[in-house]
Amino acid sequence: MLVASVIVDINTRALDDAFDYLVPANLAAPGGLEVGCAVLVDFAHRPAVGYVVGLRESTPDDDLGKFKLISERLSPPYFDEVSARCAQWIAREYCAPLSDAIHLFAPPGGAPKLKRNETGDKDWELVEPGVGPVDDRWVRLTQVGRSYIPPKTAVKQQALIEALREGEMRVAELALEVGSVNATIKALEKRGIVSIESRRRIRGVPGELPSDVRIPKLTSGQQAALDAIDSAMDAACGRVVLCDGVTGSGKTEVYLRAISRVLEQGGGAIVLVPEISLTAQTVARFRGRFGDQVAVLHSRLSKGERFDQWDLLRSGGARVAIGARSALFAPVHDLRLVIIDEEHEGSYKQDSSPRYHARDVALHLMRERGGTLVLGSATPALETLANCQLRDDWQRVVLPSRVKEQPMPSITIVDMTQEPGGSHRELFSREMVRALLEVRDQGHKAVMFLNQRGYANFIMCQDCGYVPHCANCSTSLTYHERGGDGPSLHCHHCDAHSSAPVVCPRCGSPYLSRSGVGTQRVQDELAALLGPDMPIIRMDADSTRTKGAHEKLLSSFAAEDRAVLLGTQMIAKGLDYPDVTLVGVINADTSLYLPDFRAGERGYQLLEQVSGRAGRGDLPGRVIIQSYWPQHPAIQAVAKHSRNVFLSQEIPLRRELSYPPYSRLINILLWGAQASEVEQEAKQLAGRLLEALLADSRYADVKLLGPSPCVFSKLKGSYRWHILIKAAADSQVAALINSVLKTRKKNGQGVSLAVDVDPMQLL
Ligand code: ADP
Ligand code: ZN
Ligand code: ZN
């Protein structure tokens, strides 16, 4: 008998394994049941949807009498065996319910579900996914039809046949031309004058293919990168190549060549880019080279469009997937290459269950499939740089210069503490004002960047830039207005706290502020400074809320002769306008103060990316960075065009405090509407975890910190606490957490829990 291993689609941590079911004879024939099919099964006296993750012949050891039969096959296969194993790995590695992990591989638009039936006599009702393939009806003249002459009075018939003489048409198209046609077509079909055929329609195929695609001769840096990728692909064992290349060094061209080779060999590839840089321009570059072999997957497509792109990959009609994070799970045939561009981006970490990191999952997948992982960035993550140093199967290739040898922009750091103005400082330094006026007078363009990742939850001295930090954790302390003994400062990692100082502990200034600056205010001040002839285009969360607003704002910036583009994080990446001569950073520091051990790394990456927007064309570019903390290594590194200035300070700090890449963190987050319940639950869970850790010598070096309230101790009406676990980088502590959580009993009903393995933020 054939036995299927089935993951039951019930969302609970208690079900952490697949279950065996017998395959009925009607499904045992070839083409019947395959790995990846959704099925209907009986589970604990109720029907359930499940996914087949394995098939095997029964052995004498199987107690077949205990196995239940699969009731029904519900779908064609969504994934293969390697993907099925990958889903199980994700669930274990990221402490997530299996059903969450398996859903990653289901088609966009969803899979069949069971819903409790409130009114009917059956308890459960099967709900088919709302999205699937759609067909078009095509009409054409038959042999007979071609010589048919309609009667003079049949006006509609005449028009219809006239239209069809040009060739076959979709019914919908005909209706646009001739008006309602259904009855006429039906009548003509009956008489054998036209024939109708249903054909699959692919929704939203992206644009025309660019016709003139020139393939440049590679620079030596590009060639070196491609050679490294080639030999990694020959080795076919999950090796990693990091393309460590400055902005504009031609990394995308390297990706294109590598994909081209995979396609020649009959394989497939996946390219991940951050959602925000997945623009029409990016897609056109890939489609220009590989045409219809490219499928595009991102959240701005409708569900139907995404389903069609996914299905094109599943059928093998397209072999290259380009998309945001979740495109990693697309059903590409014979996947041999995964490319992750801007690999340091935080958006590769999913912030809902399963909280996977696309880079780590891609590595696992490429090892399993014998493929190659290519990472690209101008500012690689510290974890990635460390891996390249420590591991034989990770290789770093440097692309040190821009393709046309354009010089990197000149960088000026303005020390804001030296600007005049006392506690009521101007937004713009004297140097920035001069440069902005120059851009206006010479008719060039400027990009002004306002860092809004700081949440004004810290305090900063307006005179010396001092920000209080926790002595234990090296993260900034969070300011609390109200507390038992007046305003206080808290560390949200170790729970240390003290009362807030009244004057700056460093310089004695009374001007300790916690004010933030908004984009609106900056826009007003820019307008006042530059006058009416200088258009100011503002790009932030507010101005880009509507669909397509993002691209509209950018193209209006492109169309102006002279202009300022003012924006937040969203303008840091991917902008490629050759006539930008000035990049101004209004407040370089705010993200450096975030109470997060990655604050310095993020700050450095952000400034480096923003600076990369200047001087991309023939005009030289300059960057002015305003800072209250000009000696911070992240800022110095950007100023000196030297990553090592940053790394040489940051690496020893990470090692000393054992943060990643020298450890692995797991953040367990609890939240709920009742503060006391959340606190109690957090303390109880921490106690149980500690007990389990102490009981097992394999976890002797694991540290448990907290529980403590989160930096955002209350969000959207929920009180939030967290427990932070620090373990060795190769620790298997997730397994222990899984086993503790599996038997967790909630006291209150209202406390939710999330486990974030390798968290990207701890707020
Ligand atoms: P990156 O991804 O490293 O920022 P891109 O791949 O976007 O850089 O390349 C920047 C520009 O240089 C693009 O317009 C690209 O077409 C062009 N380019 C890439 N490689 C070459 C080359 N070898 N010779 C000339 N131009 C190139
Ligand atoms: Zn001070
Ligand atoms: Zn601390």
Side-chain angles (χ1 to χ4, degrees):
M1 294 283 290
L2 198 57
V3 177
S5 176
V6 174
I7 288 179
V8 180
D9 188 16
I10 298 175
N11 195 286
T12 164
R13 286 177 204 282
L15 302 179
D16 59 356
D17 212 345
F19 295 88
D20 283 338
Y21 284 87
L22 281 180
V23 179
N26 67 319
L27 289 179
L33 200 65
E34 291 169 64
V35 167
C37 288
V39 290
L40 192 64
V41 294
D42 242 14
F43 184 82
H45 311 295
R46 54 162 278 196
V49 171
Y51 296 92
V52 179
V53 295
L55 284 168
R56 61 179 174 87
E57 282 300 328
S58 61
T59 65
D61 291 341
D62 288 321
D63 185 359
L64 294 180
K66 284 206 174 140
F67 291 3
K68 289 184 200 141
L69 273 176
I70 284 179
S71 320
E72 206 180 310
R73 179 187 123 136
L74 297 177
S75 81
Y78 293 147
F79 49 78
D80 67 3
E81 267 179 90
V82 179
S83 297
R85 283 202 302 275
C86 182
Q88 289 165 295
W89 178 86
I90 288 172
R92 279 196 308 275
E93 190 75 7
Y94 294 100
C95 301
L98 263 177
S99 71
D100 280 349
I102 204 82
H103 275 277
L104 294 170
F105 293 90
K113 281 194 205 71
L114 280 169
K115 210 177 71 181
R116 251 190 216 284
N117 190 338
E118 308 283 327
T119 50
D121 43 2
K122 280 191 305 181
D123 276 339
W124 296 89
E125 185 185 5
L126 190 67
V127 186
E128 292 289 342
V131 179
V134 289
D135 284 342
D136 275 329
R137 289 188 304 147
W138 288 78
V139 196
R140 73 161 91 169
L141 288 176
T142 59
Q143 202 67 21
V144 179
R146 245 166 264 154
S147 50
Y148 169 74
I149 297 165
K152 283 218 168 60
T153 51
V155 185
K156 190 150 272 177
Q157 273 193 26
Q158 273 179 358
L160 201 149
I161 284 172
E162 199 53 44
L164 288 177
R165 282 199 203 286
E166 308 276 310
E168 59 177 2
M169 284 176 85
R170 285 188 293 130
V171 174
E173 256 172 338
L174 264 177
L176 281 182
E177 227 163 86
V178 207
S180 78
V181 285
N182 276 332
T184 318
I185 291 176
K186 214 175 249 170
L188 290 176
E189 187 192 20
K190 241 186 211 152
R191 291 163 56 195
I193 291 164
V194 300
S195 66
I196 304 174
E197 194 190 341
S198 271
R199 242 180 270 159
R200 175 77 184 271
R201 169 158 53 111
I202 303 301
R203 285 158 287 194
V205 174
E208 290 279 292
L209 293 177
S211 52
D212 172 33
V213 183
R214 266 170 299 169
I215 301 184
K217 192 174 169 315
L218 295 184
T219 65
S220 57
Q222 287 174 320
Q223 189 60 54
L226 191 61
D227 290 345
I229 296 169
D230 275 349
S231 55
M233 291 202 293
D234 289 340
C237 58
R239 281 213 227 148
V240 185
V241 177
L242 167 65
C243 297
D244 183 356
V246 296
T247 49
S249 56
K251 294 185 288 293
T252 310
E253 183 61 34
V254 175
Y255 308 153
L256 290 166
R257 299 288 179 100
I259 294 169
S260 171
R261 178 155 177 237
V262 167
L263 289 175
E264 273 164 28
Q265 295 174 348
I270 291 177
V271 184
L272 300 186
V273 299
E275 180 87 42
I276 197 149
S277 49
L278 193 54
T279 56
Q281 207 181 356
T282 316
V283 172
R285 279 178 85 177
F286 284 84
R287 281 179 50 81
R289 204 63 67 85
F290 307 117
D292 288 330
Q293 298 194 81
V294 178
V296 183
L297 290 158
H298 60 76
S299 63
R300 295 189 304 277
L301 298 175
S302 73
K303 276 196 178 147
E305 290 168 341
R306 254 186 292 163
F307 177 87
D308 286 347
Q309 296 292 305
W310 182 92
D311 207 39
L312 269 174
L313 292 163
R314 192 184 69 109
S315 67
R319 318 218 55 176
V320 180
I322 170 164
R325 184 180 61 224
S326 64
L328 183 57
F329 307 104
V332 171
H333 285 207
D334 195 3
L335 176 63
R336 293 187 203 171
L337 177 67
V338 175
I339 294 167
I340 306 186
D341 193 30
E342 308 288 1
E343 64 89 31
H344 62 280
E345 272 289 305
S347 62
Y348 287 122
K349 183 83 191 322
Q350 171 143 303
D351 56 7
S352 59
S353 175
R355 294 168 188 256
Y356 66 90
H357 197 301
R359 191 206 296 131
D360 298 323
V361 176
L363 176 61
H364 177 77
L365 255 183
M366 286 299 89
R367 286 195 178 144
E368 291 282 300
R369 293 193 185 275
T372 299
L373 173 61
V374 172
L375 304 174
S377 176
T379 53
L382 254 62
E383 285 88 337
T384 301
L385 291 171
N387 278 329
C388 289
Q389 260 183 2
L390 299 173
R391 293 171 193 273
D392 291 339
D393 52 351
W394 286 60
Q395 187 184 353
R396 168 170 166 258
V397 188
V398 180
L399 291 88
S401 52
R402 291 181 163 174
V403 285
K404 292 184 202 112
E405 305 281 330
Q406 300 98 314
M408 296 309 278
S410 75
I411 312 255
T412 310
I413 310 288
V414 178
D415 182 349
M416 291 302 275
T417 66
Q418 299 303 312
E419 290 289 302
S423 64
H424 301 288
R425 294 185 188 289
E426 305 291 335
L427 273 181
F428 307 123
S429 59
R430 292 161 295 176
E431 178 106 29
M432 190 77 90
V433 169
R434 266 197 301 277
L436 278 166
L437 293 173
E438 203 177 288
V439 168
R440 180 194 63 187
D441 297 342
Q442 295 182 344
H444 296 154
K445 287 181 185 168
V447 169
M448 293 295 282
F449 175 69
L450 183 70
N451 201 337
Q452 283 205 320
R453 229 168 242 168
Y455 293 92
N457 261 346
F458 54 90
I459 57 172
M460 180 175 85
C461 171
Q462 292 281 291
D463 280 312
C464 78
Y466 174 78
V467 171
H469 276 60
C470 174
N472 304 326
C473 305
S474 147
T475 59
S476 67
L477 293 169
T478 310
Y479 180 79
H480 288 251
E481 192 94 304
R482 280 177 294 275
D485 312 309
S488 57
L489 294 173
H490 286 245
C491 173
H492 286 275
H493 288 183
C494 73
D495 210 27
H497 42 82
S498 57
S499 59
V502 186
V503 298
C504 173
R506 187 154 79 188
C507 75
S509 161
Y511 298 116
L512 291 173
S513 94
R514 26 181 242 106
S515 57
V517 181
T519 44
Q520 189 63 59
R521 180 173 157 214
V522 179
Q523 183 173 24
D524 293 346
E525 298 217 358
L526 278 172
L529 175 69
L530 298 171
D533 295 337
M534 190 72 167
I536 294 157
I537 295 155
R538 179 168 59 94
M539 239 170 93
D540 57 16
D542 281 335
S543 69
T544 54
R545 196 152 291 153
T546 55
K547 194 176 173 179
H550 193 259
E551 299 202 326
K552 229 177 270 165
L553 288 170
L554 285 180
S555 57
S556 69
F557 179 61
E560 298 285 355
D561 287 333
R562 59 181 73 188
V564 180
L565 178 66
L566 163 66
T568 52
Q569 267 66 8
M570 64 178 72
I571 63 167
K573 286 175 285 284
L575 295 186
D576 190 4
Y577 298 107
D579 43 358
V580 171
T581 56
L582 172 68
V583 166
V585 179
I586 297 164
N587 53 344
D589 314 337
T590 44
S591 52
L592 300 177
Y593 301 135
L594 272 185
D596 187 313
F597 71 92
R598 282 199 186 85
E601 181 181 0
R602 296 261 174 70
Y604 167 68
Q605 287 165 343
L606 196 59
L607 289 176
E608 191 64 37
Q609 298 280 348
V610 177
S611 307
R613 303 308 116 211
R616 294 172 76 88
D618 297 329
L619 296 167
R622 74 175 295 203
V623 179
I624 297 177
I625 297 175
Q626 302 187 155
S627 168
Y628 284 92
W629 196 357
Q631 50 310 0
H632 189 288
I635 293 177
Q636 286 298 315
V638 176
K640 296 186 174 136
H641 295 290
S642 164
R643 187 190 297 157
N644 276 334
V645 169
F646 172 66
L647 292 183
S648 62
Q649 300 244 10
E650 182 74 8
I651 294 276
L653 205 65
R654 295 267 181 110
R655 190 180 283 134
E656 191 183 321
L657 297 168
S658 76
Y659 277 128
Y662 300 99
S663 73
R664 171 159 228 199
L665 298 182
I666 299 180
N667 194 32
I668 303 177
L669 189 71
L670 296 111
W671 71 96
Q674 300 295 327
S676 58
E677 254 182 33
V678 179
E679 176 175 353
Q680 196 191 354
E681 187 86 12
K683 287 184 171 158
Q684 202 169 76
L685 180 60
R688 289 186 55 209
L689 284 166
L690 204 57
E691 204 176 299
L693 284 170
L694 291 174
D696 192 330
S697 62
R698 281 176 302 169
Y699 303 118
D701 62 337
V702 175
K703 286 201 187 72
L704 187 145
L705 306 176
S708 66
C710 297
V711 172
F712 297 123
S713 56
K714 193 178 178 191
L715 265 187
K716 295 177 192 153
S718 277
Y719 292 90
R720 305 165 77 241
W721 279 65
H722 71 149
I723 302 167
L724 192 62
I725 290 170
K726 245 189 214 182
D730 56 353
S731 169
Q732 297 301 308
V733 69
L736 176 119
I737 295 173
N738 273 332
S739 69
V740 170
L741 290 181
K742 196 175 163 183
T743 58
R744 165 178 174 250
K745 290 203 180 50
K746 289 199 218 174
N747 295 320
Q749 276 309 299
V751 181
S752 307
L753 176 147
V755 184
D756 197 355
V757 178
D758 305 331
M760 287 306 282
Q761 50 97 353
L762 300 169
L763 304 178

